[in-house]
Amino acid sequence: MNDWPEGWSGNNRGGDFAQPDGPRVMRQVRRGPSAPPQGGVPQQPSYGDAYGDGYGNSGPDQYGGGHNSDYNTGQVYGSGGVGGAGGHGGGRGDRPAPDWRRRIKLTAITVTVVVLATTIGTYFWADSKLNREVDLSKVIDRPEAGEGTNYLIVGSDSREGLSADQKKELHTGSADGKRTDSMMILHTGSNGPTLVSLPRDSNVTIPTFVGSESGKTFKGTGRQVKLNAAYAEDGPELLVRTVEANTGLHIDHYVEIGFAGFANIVDAVGGVEIDIPNGGLKDTKSGANFEAGKQTLNGEQSLAFVRTRYALARSDLDRTKNQQKFLAALASQTATPSTILNPFKLYPTMSAGLDTLIVDKDMGLFDLADMFWAMKGVTSGDGKSMNMPISGNAGNGNLQWNTEKVKQLVEQLKNDETVTVSDS
C-alpha cells in the first residue's frame, strides 16, 4: 500500500510534486468552506475563529458563523484576546484601575462625619457647663424690649474657689459673700456693638421688687444707693431690676464672672497684651505694678490691672475704661486662629470660662458667642465703648447720671441706632 499522498511515489520524490493537503484541523476552526488554494500554504485557523473574540462573538460553522479575526494581520492583542489589554487573561490586566472619584468621595464623607460629630459633641459639652442660675422671670415691671440684644455683664469680687494663698497672690482680701466689681451693658445689633460701663458708685433708686429667694414683694421707698448695693442686697435679679428701672432699657441676658474665673481664662489663652500708658501703673491695694509700654499680662496681673482704681485720676470712671480696654483685648486674643484651631488651647479656655460663668436661664451658647464677637468688634473699631454719661456728684456723694444724655442713649439703643451720645 502506498502511504504517500496522491501524486507521490517512491520513484518521483525528486521531481515535481504536488501540494500536500493541509494539516488535519478541526472542522469548526476552518476559515470558510473552501479548500486551501492550490500552490499556497494552508491558512492556519485564528484564535478568534475557533473560540470567538473574547467578547461573546462565536467562531464559524456551528458557533454562529464566521468572524474575521485580526490574528493573521499581526493584531494579536487588539481585541480582547487572552492576556491582551483589557482582556480576561492573567497578569496585571486583571486588576481594575483605582476609582479615585469614589475614594475622594468616601474620604470627604468620613471627614465631614468626624467634624460634625466633634462639633455636636463640643456643643453639648459646652452647653452642659453653663451655670444657668439667674431667673429673670422673677424681675417685675420690666420695660418693653427694643431692637437688638442687651447683655448685662458683671464682674463680681467673689472669692469662691480661691485658696488662702491664691487670695494673697491675687490681692483679693477675704471678704465674705460677693459684690459687683464692674458692670457693663453690651448692646449688639445691626449698627455695630456698643459697650456702656455703669460705674459701681452710680447713684440709683431701689425700686419695688420681688425677693429672689423669699418671693416677698418689697415696696420701693425712693431709697438712693450706689448701684453695686443692689447686687449686694438681693443678687443678680435685683441688680437687673434696678438697672432697668433707672434706665428704661430692657436687659435680655445676664452674664457674671468671678475673680478666679477671670484669672483662669487669661492664663488659658496664654496672657493678654496690654499697652500701659506713660508713667506706668502702681497700686498696692490691687497689686498692680506695671512699667509703661506694651506687655503681656498673666491672670494675676490682669486681675490687678482691671481692679486698680486708687492710682487713677478719676478713680472708678478711669477704672471702667481700663476694664473695657482689657475685656475687648481678651476677646480679640481668644478669637485668634492659634486659639480656635488649637484644641489644646481652645478646650482649656472654654472650660475655664464656662466653669465660672453664671448666666440667666434663657442664655444659650449662640447668645454667648454673639456677646463674645461683639466684644471683639469693640476692639476692632466696629463698635463704641463709653461710660454712662455723668453730670457730677449727687448730694450723697454718689456719681449722678446726666438725665438728658442717658435718655437719648437709651432711645438710640432701643431703636438699634448708631450711638452718637458722648459720655463727657
Side-chain angles (χ1 to χ4, degrees):
M1 179 178 177
N2 189 353
D3 293 330
W4 293 100
E6 185 179 353
W8 284 52
S9 70
N11 297 326
N12 62 2
R13 292 178 185 177
D16 295 335
F17 54 88
Q19 173 67 36
D21 289 338
R24 187 181 302 273
V25 296
M26 297 173 63
R27 279 189 65 195
Q28 61 270 27
V29 299
R30 294 287 300 274
R31 184 186 297 274
S34 60
Q38 291 296 321
V41 178
Q43 192 173 25
Q44 296 299 317
S46 70
Y47 185 93
D49 291 335
Y51 299 103
D53 62 3
Y55 291 94
N57 297 318
S58 59
D61 298 334
Q62 66 269 38
Y63 291 95
H67 176 72
N68 292 330
S69 170
D70 292 326
Y71 181 89
N72 291 334
T73 64
Q75 299 181 18
V76 179
Y77 305 107
S79 57
V82 176
H88 305 288
R92 298 185 64 179
D94 288 339
R95 191 176 301 167
D99 189 343
W100 289 109
R101 287 186 179 182
R102 183 171 180 271
R103 291 186 180 184
I104 293 172
K105 183 178 180 180
L106 288 175
T107 301
I109 291 174
T110 301
V111 171
T112 302
V113 169
V114 171
V115 170
L116 283 175
T118 302
T119 302
I120 293 171
T122 300
Y123 175 87
F124 284 106
W125 166 78
D127 188 72
S128 68
K129 295 179 76 67
L130 278 178
N131 301 307
R132 297 182 173 92
E133 299 178 7
V134 180
D135 189 357
L136 295 183
S137 67
K138 295 179 180 179
V139 180
I140 62 172
D141 299 333
R142 309 192 67 186
E144 231 179 83
E147 300 293 327
T149 304
N150 299 311
Y151 300 87
L152 180 59
I153 304 172
V154 174
S156 77
D157 64 359
S158 171
R159 281 82 172 168
E160 185 176 349
L162 293 177
S163 66
D165 289 339
Q166 288 175 317
K167 290 177 183 178
K168 184 177 180 180
E169 290 174 3
L170 298 176
H171 299 270
T172 64
S174 300
D176 293 330
K178 60 181 181 179
R179 284 152 294 277
T180 52
D181 209 53
S182 61
M183 291 160 284
M184 304 177 189
I185 294 175
L186 175 65
H187 173 84
T188 65
S190 57
N191 286 295
T194 301
L195 185 63
V196 182
S197 285
L198 308 175
R200 57 184 288 177
D201 294 340
S202 297
N203 191 57
V204 295
T205 300
I206 298 294
T208 298
F209 70 96
V210 175
S212 59
E213 297 295 334
S214 66
K216 181 181 177 181
T217 298
F218 296 88
K219 292 291 185 180
T221 61
R223 177 167 51 103
Q224 294 186 332
V225 297
K226 292 180 179 179
L227 180 57
N228 66 341
Y231 181 95
E233 186 172 328
D234 197 49
E237 288 85 0
L238 179 55
L239 178 60
V240 171
R241 169 73 176 124
T242 302
V243 169
E244 289 186 340
N246 284 266
T247 63
L249 186 67
H250 181 89
I251 299 299
D252 298 288
H253 293 293
Y254 177 91
V255 181
E256 177 187 326
I257 188 167
F259 284 164
F262 181 83
N264 289 341
I265 292 174
V266 174
D267 286 334
V269 298
V272 175
E273 186 179 77
I274 288 292
D275 190 0
I276 305 296
N278 292 335
L281 187 62
K282 188 171 183 179
D283 184 354
T284 56
K285 291 192 174 182
S286 69
N289 187 11
F290 307 115
E291 299 292 334
K294 287 186 177 181
Q295 50 201 286
T296 299
L297 307 185
N298 61 23
E300 176 186 340
Q301 294 169 326
S302 298
L303 188 58
F305 176 76
V306 299
R307 294 185 62 225
T308 296
R309 63 184 301 200
Y310 296 104
L312 302 174
R314 297 195 304 161
S315 187
D316 202 38
L317 292 177
D318 284 343
R319 180 171 75 159
T320 57
K321 291 289 187 181
N322 281 345
Q323 290 171 345
Q324 291 177 345
K325 178 180 178 180
F326 185 88
L327 289 178
L330 175 60
S332 181
Q333 174 76 18
T334 307
T336 59
S338 62
T339 298
I340 295 175
L341 300 179
N342 183 354
F344 297 102
K345 288 186 68 175
L346 177 62
Y347 284 95
T349 302
M350 291 178 66
S351 181
L354 297 172
D355 277 342
T356 53
L357 282 180
I358 296 175
V359 299
D360 64 271
K361 293 184 180 296
D362 294 327
M363 185 81 162
L365 288 179
F366 290 109
D367 299 310
L368 200 60
D370 175 61
M371 183 192 80
F372 175 81
W373 287 108
M375 291 288 294
K376 184 177 183 296
V378 172
T379 302
S380 64
D382 294 334
K384 179 175 183 175
S385 61
M386 60 183 292
N387 277 323
M388 187 66 83
I390 302 295
S391 61
N393 291 330
N396 55 10
N398 300 334
L399 294 175
Q400 185 64 51
W401 292 350
N402 185 317
T403 306
E404 289 302 317
K405 283 190 173 184
V406 169
K407 182 179 179 180
Q408 184 182 357
L409 171 63
V410 169
E411 284 302 311
Q412 290 178 341
L413 293 178
K414 275 186 175 182
N415 297 324
D416 195 23
E417 299 171 351
T418 301
V419 172
T420 59
V421 180
S422 67
D423 56 7
S424 58

